[in-house]
Amino acid sequence: MYRLRESESKLQSQVQETTRRENVLNMRLATKQEEMRKTYYIIAVNLVFNKCRLGLKESRDKLEQAQNDLSAWKFTPDR
């Protein structure tokens, strides 16, 4: 009977330790998932920012070209 109780006590300790380890691992997993979400968010924001910056550069280049074309069209040799 003593061995049975000892074995039961040992098993309960193992279950408690396993449960504790599982909880720790679940917390670590949740932390990693949150970090990954933040990383994906940063990457997405970066892509949008770069696309906007490229669009702005293209718009500025087109504006400059249009101003140059307008200046060339208005040019007269009398000036």
Side-chain angles (χ1 to χ4, degrees):
M1 193 68 156
Y2 175 75
R3 285 181 148 180
L4 186 60
R5 287 187 184 187
E6 188 177 288
S7 292
E8 184 181 349
S9 175
K10 227 181 212 184
L11 284 174
Q12 284 179 344
S13 294
Q14 288 176 347
V15 167
Q16 288 175 346
E17 178 63 21
T18 302
T19 302
R20 187 192 67 76
R21 290 178 64 198
E22 181 183 18
N23 289 338
V24 168
L25 290 173
N26 282 333
M27 289 298 293
R28 287 176 61 189
L29 178 61
T31 302
K32 289 289 184 186
Q33 287 174 335
E34 185 66 27
E35 288 174 4
M36 285 177 58
R37 277 191 213 109
K38 287 178 183 178
T39 300
Y40 290 141
Y41 177 74
I42 290 170
I43 290 170
V45 169
N46 215 5
L47 287 172
V48 170
F49 177 77
N50 285 334
K51 189 166 185 150
C52 289
R53 189 175 59 176
L54 180 61
L56 179 61
K57 183 185 180 319
E58 289 173 355
S59 294
R60 285 181 176 164
D61 291 345
K62 286 180 183 178
L63 175 63
E64 184 180 354
Q65 183 61 44
Q67 287 174 336
N68 290 340
D69 291 346
L70 184 60
S71 294
W73 183 75
K74 287 182 178 181
F75 176 76
T76 59
D78 298 338
R79 284 193 190 183

